[in-house]
Amino acid sequence: MIRVTNLGLAIDGKTILHDISARIPPQGLTAVIGPNGAGKSSLLYCLSGLTRPTSGQVSIDGADITAARTTDRARMLALLPQVTPALPRLTVADLVAFGRWPHHRGRPNDTDRRIVAQAIRDLDLDDLLDRRLDTLSGGQRQRAFIAMNHAQSTPWMLLDEPLSALDPRYASDIMARLVELSRPGTGRAIVVVMHDLAMAVRHADWVICLKAGRLFRSGPPSETLTGAGLSALFDTPIHVEHLRGRPVVIID
Amino acid sequence: MADRSLLILAAACAGAAAVYVAWGLQGPYGFILSLRATRLAALAIVGASVGAATVIFQTITANRLLTPGIVGFDSLFVLIQTLLVLGLGGMGYAALPAFPKFLVEILCLCAVAVALFASVLRAGSSDMTRLVLTGVILGVLMRGLTGFVQRLLDPTEFALAQAATFASFNSIDPVQVAFAAPILILALLLAWRLSPVLDVALLGRDGARSLGVDHERLTMAALAVVAMLVATSTAVAGPVTFLGLLAASLAAAALPHWRHAVLIPGAALTGALILIVGQFLFERLLGLQSTLPAIVESLGGLVFLVMVLKRRTA
Amino acid sequence: MRGWTAAGLALGVLVAASLGIGAGDLSGADGGQLFLASRMPRTAAALLAGAGLALAGAVVQMAVQNRLVEPGLTGTPESAMAGLLAVTLIAPGTPLLGRMIVASVAALAGTAGFLLLARHIPREDPILLPLVGLVYGGILGSAVTWVGWTTDLMQLLSSWQLGEFSGVLQGRYELLWLIAGLAALLYAIADRITMLSLGEDRARSLGLDYRGTLLSGLVVVAVIVAAVVVTVGVLPFVGLIVPNLVSRWRGDNLRANLPMIAAAGGGAVLASDVLGRVIRWPYEIPAGTIFAVAGAVLFLWLLYAPGKAPRRHG
């Protein structure tokens, strides 16, 4: 379980996050939602240990993440940052292999190679093995990066808006794979910062709602992703209806 | 309003010039006066032509970061001179009558610059930073080619050609100043005639064309004027890269007007003022003869960096 | 594998040409002496300098995640020169190794300054960064030139500013063998350097000591550039062109490509040196001059090359 206690973050004197306390269950998919500028990415980076909070604590499975050694941290959680415009000309195989780096630090063994091969298979990248990242489509590229994080074999995977800039087909494909990767029994929990409420409503097992740098609400979708809750979160009328048994978000 | 700012600038220039000429004047008056007057004329010509050229060039490239020097206009001029030395031989080059030679060099620069930059501008019109980098690399290429051609020369010819590749106000040739002045005045007159159309060109290529401006022709004409101005300043003092950026930005900040009829003379006056005041400070007060070009170039470079960093937030 | 054979053959031909071509006559009485004292060192120096600069370019490009950057566009050689100039002025008796250390430290500081600057430049526009680097290096360079000018060290300075190999003799180039050691070190940390190219967040999330890796990469770059500047002078564009061409062909995995980058860099510089010896026989054109022209043309090609525009992939 990730436990956030009284977390605060200020950058250059500007408060980004304010007194956030929440917990994230150690299985399934947790969605972090909220209006633009609410501090979603900042929270994710605090969880990942890459950003040191100004106050408060983040503990992952009982260990203080800011105190963890770099390598231990990289074995505990994998982070998928937003897509950067500059991509190295690495092949997909090269990239996914880097996911094992925290484990072997430069000396891969057979286990590492096996896990890399498995990760490539799990994300259906076999046909793209020798392709370079800069020649892939947006959806394929995102799959390759997720495969790298998958190969990192961490109990936690944190993703910062993995669906942005993807068309609906790729977005739902990526989302389905994330659900697959965080299925009960895989020993992995996934935290995703996302904008797409329809995706959150359909796939999230737990939801953290941020508004203006504070925790607005957190809990299972049945408590958080309601019409009233979302309307108040986004300051705009939102309804959640059921269509053929599935929840659907309607924005007025 | 605008006219008053121009008048103030002109008065400042005249004042600086007077102080520069008269400061600590001792006999023999005639000799010292003519020496100082020549250098003053050189400073004013270089400052004015670089300032005016930069404003025009920034308008037709729609980019406030560029100067003709950054994209290698002046290196192109030096390259043409060097090629002439190569083609005619050192003796032949030196034997040519000076004024026609200068005219030929200017015409060559106009032709090559218009051909080269007009095609680059057309190819890169959609992508400004790429255009800038292209220009910068063209500048590097020109300097490289110049160095290359110089190496093809005999050692004696080499010395002749190499003298032209460094900016300096120390050894001014009065004859060159005498040629340069009328060319500068002609170029400024042409620029003044272009200025209403240049105002429209501020709307960008498509905006100007929708108002009936023949943008292609304007670009050619403006590039030709820029080439004349650059040739003038390079012939007098050698290549300067960033002075124009300093002059154009200061003029734009000081003048309340964006119209080219004001901005071009304003930048010309600002450029001249910078050089005269700078030379006065370094030569007379600090006793540093050769410092001015380096300082002006560094300051202009800093202006460039600040503008790039500021653009980030814009 | 065929690529490797072809590259090896080309390199072999170049080495043979370099050993055989020159103003002196090898078949004369002192031919053996000439071969050992001049031709061999010259060939080795060109290979080492080229390999070193190409590797340095690859490291810098990964460190700033921008393909259009090289040590010459990060103020590195200019700061190395500043360090050398400072040693010459303050402690003229310092032995070569001491000079080298000061130059490396200065180069490291200058490059770090560029990196700090680069943090404030938006990544979306990869073309802006080389432009800023050019100006940054220009400012440093004009400061160095000014100091050199006022202290009468221009002669010394110009030997650093233009790379050439005609002065390379046995006993005066051995410092360059440092590069071979640095290349081996680079091979040992190649994976870490490649991870830099994934960006700071990804690299750190993989458990990489980002700052430490960046620092070791920059130290390697600084020492290579300082060694090249001290012994043969600046060679522009090598670090830019060679890694880019290799990367287009074979991608960015540094461990896999390191030998190829080194070989291509050494070969390219050796080729321009051999060319420089032949074009204007029996005079020599500096390799740096030849590379400036060829490099600028290749850079423009990289900037506009169809399909794989560096714009998108940085």
Side-chain angles (χ1 to χ4, degrees), chain C:
Chain C
M1 222 47 226
R2 263 177 52 202
W4 279 104
T5 319
L9 269 177
L11 205 58
V13 170
L14 272 174
V15 169
S18 169
L19 292 174
I21 296 174
D25 185 5
L26 283 182
S27 58
D30 300 328
Q33 179 62 25
L34 178 70
F35 188 79
L36 284 179
S38 167
R39 292 291 165 73
M40 290 273 282
R42 183 172 187 162
T43 307
L47 286 174
L48 286 168
L53 289 178
L55 289 177
V59 173
V60 170
Q61 283 163 22
M62 291 189 179
V64 297
Q65 292 178 265
N66 188 317
R67 269 178 219 299
L68 295 175
V69 172
E70 66 135 11
L73 296 174
T74 58
T76 315
E78 286 84 2
S79 10
M81 285 180 214
L84 286 172
L85 212 53
V87 183
T88 313
L89 287 172
I90 297 165
T94 313
L96 184 62
L97 194 66
R99 283 165 193 264
M100 175 65 205
I101 291 171
V102 175
S104 304
V105 171
L108 185 63
T111 318
F114 173 76
L115 250 63
L116 284 180
L117 205 59
R119 290 180 85 97
H120 296 285
I121 309 274
R123 307 229 144 202
E124 292 70 37
D125 195 349
I127 295 179
L128 208 51
L129 198 58
L131 210 55
V132 167
L134 212 68
V135 176
Y136 176 74
I139 293 178
L140 289 177
S142 73
V144 169
T145 308
W146 179 67
V147 174
W149 185 277
T150 51
T151 53
D152 270 331
L153 288 173
M154 280 310 279
Q155 186 94 40
L156 191 60
L157 201 57
S158 56
S159 75
W160 299 329
Q161 279 169 338
L162 182 63
E164 65 174 325
F165 295 92
S166 59
V168 172
L169 290 173
Q170 197 175 16
R172 285 179 51 187
Y173 84 104
E174 280 72 7
L175 202 55
L176 285 176
W177 285 104
L178 260 181
I179 289 173
L182 289 170
L185 173 68
L186 215 49
Y187 192 75
I189 60 169
D191 283 343
R192 291 162 202 244
I193 301 280
T194 308
M195 280 157 81
L196 290 181
S197 70
L198 295 174
E200 177 169 357
D201 294 341
R202 286 186 212 284
R204 286 179 63 198
S205 118
L206 285 171
L208 183 76
D209 173 9
Y210 183 79
R211 275 162 191 276
T213 308
L214 195 61
L215 185 67
S216 14
L218 290 187
V219 168
V220 170
V221 169
V223 176
I224 289 178
V225 171
V228 172
V229 168
V230 173
T231 42
V232 295
V234 171
L235 292 158
F237 290 118
V238 179
L240 182 81
I241 302 300
V242 173
N244 264 293
L245 294 180
V246 174
S247 157
R248 268 169 182 269
W249 173 33
R250 297 170 49 92
D252 274 341
N253 189 329
L254 185 61
R255 185 182 294 281
N257 291 346
L258 192 137
M260 188 53 96
I261 294 175
V269 170
L270 188 60
S272 31
D273 185 40
V274 171
L275 210 59
R277 281 181 246 172
V278 179
I279 292 183
R280 181 98 174 90
W281 179 275
Y283 299 110
E284 293 203 2
I285 297 175
T289 302
I290 295 200
F291 221 101
V293 174
V297 173
L298 280 170
F299 192 157
L300 289 177
W301 175 70
L302 285 174
L303 200 57
Y304 285 93
K308 301 176 176 177
R311 190 176 169 63
R312 268 185 301 131
H313 314 310

Side-chain angles (χ1 to χ4, degrees), chain B residues 221-313:
Chain B
L223 280 174
V225 173
V226 170
M228 279 172 75
L229 290 166
V230 172
T232 317
S233 78
T234 313
V236 172
V240 278
T241 313
F242 287 114
L243 168 66
L245 202 60
L246 207 55
S249 330
L250 284 179
L255 294 170
H257 233 298
W258 51 267
R259 274 178 36 230
H260 285 82
V262 176
L263 208 52
I264 292 174
L269 286 170
T270 312
L273 189 63
I274 292 173
L275 284 188
I276 296 173
V277 171
Q279 184 75 6
F280 176 73
L281 282 180
F282 284 104
E283 182 190 325
R284 293 295 150 73
L285 297 186
L286 302 176
L288 298 166
Q289 276 291 345
S290 52
T291 312
L292 183 65
I295 297 286
V296 169
E297 291 297 90
S298 300
L299 272 183
L302 280 179
V303 169
F304 179 93
L305 287 186
V306 169
M307 285 172 79
V308 167
L309 291 177
K310 254 174 62 186
R311 234 175 52 151
R312 176 177 64 114
T313 48

